[in-house]
Amino acid sequence: MTAFNVVRFRVKPGQEQRFIDAHRKARPAFKGYIGGSLVRTGDHAYCLVAEWRNFKSIVAARPQMIEILDGIREMLEDLGSGLGVTDPVSGEVVARLAAAKGAKKRPARARRKTRRVTSRRKR
């Protein structure tokens, strides 16, 4: 069953771009890791959300995740309340939440047109 882990961070002032760049450059080779997103949740506040094939994959990857954390630890502030520099949670998906039927995707033709325009700009 699919699982997620979510980690909350607070980054020291002046370290935010370095923190973001470290995540952009990371290419974790965790078995069962599907992908993730780094989300800015406020001033100096971030949350990492990662999707996994199953909960066992998260457990198996924890030592490697701690190694990655050790590489960025100096950029992080203590969250207080005895948490340290991270506030991690993880678990299995219990329900998939779908968008309302009225929330439609753009038609394929509009997506193609946007891509062409974008690719022309890059040239």
Side-chain angles (χ1 to χ4, degrees), residues 49-68:
V49 181
E51 185 174 6
W52 301 78
R53 296 213 187 285
N54 54 49
F55 190 74
K56 284 182 179 182
S57 297
I58 295 173
V59 173
R62 282 183 182 151
Q64 293 167 289
M65 288 190 282
I66 291 169
E67 284 180 29
I68 292 171

Side-chain angles (χ1 to χ4, degrees), residues 8-100:
R8 190 168 59 95
F9 307 92
R10 188 175 320 125
V11 180
K12 291 177 181 175
Q15 297 293 313
E16 290 187 82
Q17 192 57 55
R18 216 173 127 216
F19 176 78
I20 293 167
D21 290 345
H23 282 84
R24 283 187 177 142
K25 291 176 187 173
R27 296 287 183 258
F30 307 131
K31 186 176 179 180
Y33 175 71
I34 295 171
S37 297
L38 183 63
V39 181
R40 184 185 322 250
T41 59
D43 290 339
H44 308 288
Y46 293 84
C47 188
L48 177 71
V49 181
E51 185 174 6
W52 301 78
R53 296 213 187 285
N54 54 49
F55 190 74
K56 284 182 179 182
S57 297
I58 295 173
V59 173
R62 282 183 182 151
Q64 293 167 289
M65 288 190 282
I66 291 169
E67 284 180 29
I68 292 171
L69 173 62
D70 287 342
I72 62 168
R73 192 178 298 274
E74 67 178 14
M75 300 177 219
L76 304 176
E77 291 184 351
D78 191 293
L79 295 170
S81 302
L83 292 172
V85 295
T86 64
D87 182 14
V89 293
S90 58
E92 292 182 330
V93 172
V94 296
R96 287 281 181 184
L97 309 175

